[in-house]
Amino acid sequence: MKNTLRIAIQKSGRLSEQSLKLINECGIQFNHGKSRLKAVSYNFPAEFLFLRDDDIPGYVEDGVADLGIVGENEMAEKAKDVLLIKRLGFSKCRLSLAIQRDVEYTEPSFFRNKNIATSYPRILNQFLEDKKIAAQIHEISGSVEIAPSIGLADAVCDIVSSGSTLLSNGLKEVETIFRSEAVLLANHRASEEKKDLIDQLVFRINSVQAGKGNKYILLNAPEDATEAIVELLPGMRSPTIVPLAMSGWNSIHSVVQEDQFWDVIEKLREAGAEGILVVPIEKMIL
Ligand code: ATP
Ligand code: MG
């Protein structure tokens, strides 16, 4: 459809839930159709295709979908000609080389002439070429981590997040070769109308992400501490100061970045702030 964005997301897997959550937080709603392969939004000009993540970069390149959400690892491995328009901050993981736990490891030259099982031959090959290491890549599509114990390979190159899967298969992680998170991909040849819709969607995503990265903070302070506290709370433009019913006291409201939060709270208490309330922000329009 001409003025409807087609957005490809993973049908079921580690990206699905968070992709759907993001779309929902952007205020885009739809009912799953009977087929569960396609759904049309009733409050935003978008339709959703539910696919295997492997197919998403290719569909976006071909223009079957205008946008897609996949792991950066999948995007790099498929090496399709698509635009990365936004990192989405979820499904964070890394692609790492791992070997059997009892084998000694010092440096990447360990892998020379070794047999490495992976589902990511392109990314692995790039790493080996950069390090000028000749090794055999054994491509398998799943259960990579059991390859060493069944004698299929000397090492694996696989997705890791906590490392517990490696551990339970007697492996240890020795090199990280790629860091990944979910990304929003776009087709290169979107029409002007579609570009407008993509901008609207990206604006919504930015507002959701900014809200998540910040907290709304309210506190009480005696008048003589107000100036010092305002210095600590830059806010979006500047903090709001409202007098309390009790004379000599103010309520101060502002926005604090999540990553600076604990640091700021300590300083606020030292400066005389009391009754501090911290409230999540659903969306923040910058
Ligand atoms: P599909 O059936 O769609 O092909 P899949 O089995 O290839 O799915 P999943 O295991 O669902 O893929 O993982 C999808 C993406 O989620 C991966 O490509 C990676 O970017 C990310 N991912 C994988 N494992 C983890 C993990 N343990 N923690 C966080 N993110 C992960
Ligand atoms: Mg897949």
Side-chain angles (χ1 to χ4, degrees):
M1 265 181 280
K2 200 159 175 277
N3 286 330
T4 299
L5 279 185
R6 268 200 165 170
I7 308 174
I9 61 181
Q10 191 190 26
K11 187 171 189 300
S12 76
R14 291 180 189 267
L15 294 161
S16 311
E17 195 183 315
Q18 297 262 54
S19 304
L20 290 171
K21 181 162 170 265
L22 177 67
I23 287 158
N24 186 268
E25 287 169 335
C26 289
I28 300 175
Q29 289 161 334
F30 56 85
N31 294 322
H32 267 291
K34 272 212 188 80
S35 71
R36 301 202 119 251
L37 296 175
K38 204 173 114 177
V40 183
S41 170
Y42 50 82
N43 66 354
F44 190 85
E47 61 182 22
F48 296 89
L49 304 179
F50 302 99
L51 303 168
R52 283 201 58 189
D53 69 345
D54 308 57
D55 299 330
I56 293 176
Y59 277 25
V60 173
E61 180 184 59
D62 297 344
V64 173
D66 304 299
L67 292 173
I69 298 177
V70 283
E72 218 170 331
N73 53 314
E74 206 57 44
M75 172 189 173
E77 182 60 31
K78 294 293 184 286
K80 299 290 182 186
D81 187 20
V82 291
L83 277 172
L84 191 170
I85 55 175
K86 187 136 193 69
R87 291 196 162 78
L88 299 173
F90 60 85
S91 295
K92 287 192 176 170
C93 59
R94 54 195 188 272
L95 193 58
S96 292
L97 282 158
I99 62 172
Q100 278 173 311
R101 206 162 40 205
D102 51 5
V103 175
E104 201 188 324
Y105 181 83
T106 47
E107 52 174 37
S109 62
F110 170 91
F111 293 102
R112 191 155 287 135
N113 299 324
K114 295 281 197 298
N115 212 325
I116 311 170
T118 189
S119 307
Y120 296 91
R122 185 189 299 264
I123 302 177
L124 175 58
N125 190 45
Q126 187 65 51
F127 171 83
L128 294 171
E129 267 184 16
D130 289 349
K131 301 270 180 212
K132 302 195 170 28
I133 295 168
Q136 285 80 50
I137 298 178
H138 192 102
E139 184 177 350
I140 48 181
S141 61
S143 304
V144 172
E145 61 282 354
I146 64 160
S149 65
I150 59 174
L152 187 68
D154 307 301
V156 301
C157 173
D158 203 7
I159 295 284
V160 185
S161 62
S162 70
S164 58
T165 308
L166 291 181
L167 209 64
S168 60
N169 283 283
L171 300 173
K172 63 178 176 187
E173 183 178 2
V174 294
E175 296 287 338
T176 297
I177 70 167
F178 192 87
R179 291 191 184 274
S180 178
E181 65 186 88
V183 291
L184 183 67
L185 307 181
N187 175 269
H188 270 294
R189 301 170 306 277
S191 64
E192 287 308 312
E193 290 98 330
K194 285 193 173 174
K195 277 190 189 144
D196 272 356
L197 290 174
I198 293 171
D199 286 348
Q200 285 180 38
L201 179 65
V202 170
F203 176 82
R204 292 188 188 195
I205 295 173
N206 287 342
S207 304
V208 170
Q209 288 187 339
K212 281 194 182 139
N214 290 277
K215 299 280 180 221
Y216 193 72
I217 181 164
L218 305 89
L219 57 87
N220 294 331
E223 237 154 38
D224 58 6
T226 301
E227 202 182 315
I229 288 176
V230 165
E231 288 283 303
L232 293 168
L233 291 172
M236 283 178 82
R237 189 172 295 275
S238 87
T240 307
I241 304 177
V242 195
L244 292 192
M246 183 197 237
S247 80
W249 281 76
N250 288 322
S251 170
I252 304 173
H253 303 190
S254 193
V255 171
V256 183
Q257 278 180 30
E258 174 89 68
D259 54 0
Q260 294 168 8
F261 177 73
W262 289 112
D263 204 30
V264 173
I265 293 289
E266 270 316 301
K267 290 186 180 143
L268 290 172
R269 282 165 42 120
E270 280 165 25
E274 291 182 10
I276 304 174
L277 298 180
V278 179
V279 185
I281 298 172
E282 194 180 291
K283 292 177 184 85
M284 192 161 141
I285 317 300
L286 296 170

